[in-house]
Amino acid sequence: MINFNKPYITGKEVHFIYDAVASGHISGNGKYTKICQKYFENQWHFKKTLLTTSCTDALEMCAMLLNIKAGDEVIMPSYTFVSTALAFVRQGAKIVFVDSRNDHPGMDENKIEELITAKTKVIVTVHYAGVACDMDKIMDIANKHELFVVEDAAQAIDSYYTGKDGIKKALGSIGHLAAFSFHETKNIQCGEGGLLAINDDRFIKRAEIIWEKGTNRAEFFRGEVNKYGWVDIGSSFLPSEVVAAFLWAQIENIDIIQKRRLEIWDWYSQHVDKLFEDFKFTKPSLPIYATNNAHMYYLVLSSFEERTLFIKTLKDKGLFPVFHYLSLHKSKYYSDKHDGRQLPNSDHFEECLVRMPFYYELEENEILKALSNQ
Ligand SMILES: *Cc1c(COP(=O)(O)O)cnc(C)c1O
């Protein structure tokens, strides 16, 4: 049986967790949290990062930092995970959904500007499958209308965008704020975990306060203030050192993880035409400005019926591909709040996209063997 996902364990996780426990500092913001954050800041040039207990939490921090309040409008794709919208809805925002591109599940950058009103505050980009949105286009629109940009980079660790200036920038380093996920289905993982990346100095100090229950505890421990107390809103967004220690073991191995994932991605790309020649589908395409971080390998079948048959055929052979997302504008929770616009491309990906099994330990031979089963 080949499941859709199998979280990879490097073997060092328990060692670092043991060290964290033995050190006596088990709550958050200790040694492992600091080395993880430093790594991300140095590696991908984020101005400041804060580990969080999930990407959802990091997105909630973004909504708080941007002072989103009832009636504010936030533009984002409908074809995304619930959290992208939920984080802003909790603050009372109205979500204005953009359709996907027709060649890619990511948001159609050319359909954003027509949705902007006097109430629009934020554009949230989702780098679907780790493939960059056209950030020059989005940042230009945001600057013109004085909007903030939050990158939902949950799937986009170690992926890049090359803009008009020819400079290759890490995803998550371009918008004002960005959120990453280390959920066990992501490239590097700690079960549940996330990261807030802050690229605009104005948000750094307040982000630390929101992160630590609305207190200025971080400043206090750096010796910048002589007592700490309640100074703002916030929550307990920081993970314990046990989680950070786990994540550090993954970070240490990120190069070999990424190398192997890219090999698997390329193997799929080279073999799916032949392996699934009985089905009608298209393969993922990559815009010239984007890189591939091998977060997932997906196919877009020609119809809902074709996808249903594809999934059933593979399941019968012990291979478990999955589909996602259910367009948020049609969800049980949000459909009656949506403004009624049709989003046909989002619906198309909802009905036709399928994600192939994808994880570090996946072996190509196992797939070939399963598929040769009658
Ligand atoms: C995984 C994912 C999330 C949620 O991440 P958590 O760490 O589970 O909160 C949000 N947005 C997108 C696009 C995702 O893929």
Side-chain angles (χ1 to χ4, degrees), residues 44-277:
W44 288 301
H45 307 293
F46 310 125
K47 276 205 176 128
K48 169 76 188 160
T49 62
L50 294 170
L51 278 193
T52 57
T53 45
S54 65
C55 176
T56 306
D57 270 1
L59 289 164
E60 285 178 11
M61 289 184 70
C62 294
M64 289 171 144
L65 278 165
L66 299 174
N67 287 323
I68 298 302
K69 55 185 186 331
D72 288 346
E73 293 179 7
V74 179
I75 296 175
M76 67 178 67
S78 176
Y79 192 75
T80 181
F81 189 62
V82 176
S83 303
T84 318
L86 183 60
F88 294 89
V89 166
R90 290 177 83 251
Q91 298 285 119
K94 177 178 171 216
I95 308 299
V96 178
F97 291 111
V98 196
D99 206 1
S100 294
R101 295 163 61 119
N102 58 21
D103 61 343
H104 186 272
M107 72 207 285
D108 188 339
E109 298 87 351
N110 294 321
K111 291 187 182 147
I112 296 172
E113 201 161 13
E114 65 202 48
L115 300 173
I116 294 172
T117 72
K119 292 181 177 162
T120 308
K121 283 275 171 63
V122 189
I123 301 170
V124 185
T125 66
V126 179
H127 304 298
Y128 183 81
V131 175
C133 295
D134 191 342
M135 291 308 290
D136 277 348
K137 228 174 230 176
I138 292 168
M139 296 310 289
D140 284 351
I141 295 168
N143 289 335
K144 183 172 149 196
H145 296 274
E146 296 179 5
L147 307 175
F148 290 110
V149 173
V150 172
E151 294 178 70
D152 180 340
Q155 308 176 4
I157 198 94
D158 192 31
S159 204
Y160 303 83
Y161 171 78
T162 306
K164 291 179 291 227
D165 57 10
I167 298 171
K168 189 168 147 184
K169 297 191 195 87
L171 298 185
S173 71
I174 305 165
H176 300 85
L177 299 165
F180 289 89
S181 175
F182 307 121
H183 183 263
E184 70 169 32
T185 51
K186 305 301 200 274
N187 292 33
I188 59 166
Q189 58 98 15
C190 55
E192 304 275 359
L195 184 81
L196 173 70
I198 304 155
N199 303 312
D200 184 321
D201 292 324
R202 285 175 291 177
F203 297 116
I204 294 176
K205 194 172 162 202
R206 187 157 178 246
E208 282 186 331
I209 290 168
I210 290 175
W211 190 56
E212 289 232 49
K213 301 111 180 153
T215 71
N216 56 351
R217 193 167 177 274
E219 278 178 300
F220 174 72
F221 278 104
R222 283 196 299 264
E224 294 163 14
V225 289
N226 59 16
K227 53 178 185 283
Y228 88 84
W230 186 11
V231 295
D232 202 336
I233 57 163
S235 189
S236 188
F237 286 118
L238 69 173
S240 84
E241 279 288 286
V242 174
V243 169
F246 187 115
L247 184 63
W248 182 246
Q250 299 266 317
I251 291 173
E252 270 202 341
N253 287 276
I254 191 165
D255 291 340
I256 63 154
I257 292 172
Q258 287 300 85
K259 183 165 168 286
R260 178 64 192 135
R261 291 185 74 101
L262 282 163
E263 276 171 17
I264 296 169
W265 201 99
D266 289 337
W267 182 86
Y268 269 127
S269 185
Q270 285 159 23
H271 289 81
V272 286
D273 293 304
K274 185 91 190 78
L275 288 174
F276 307 126
E277 59 188 356

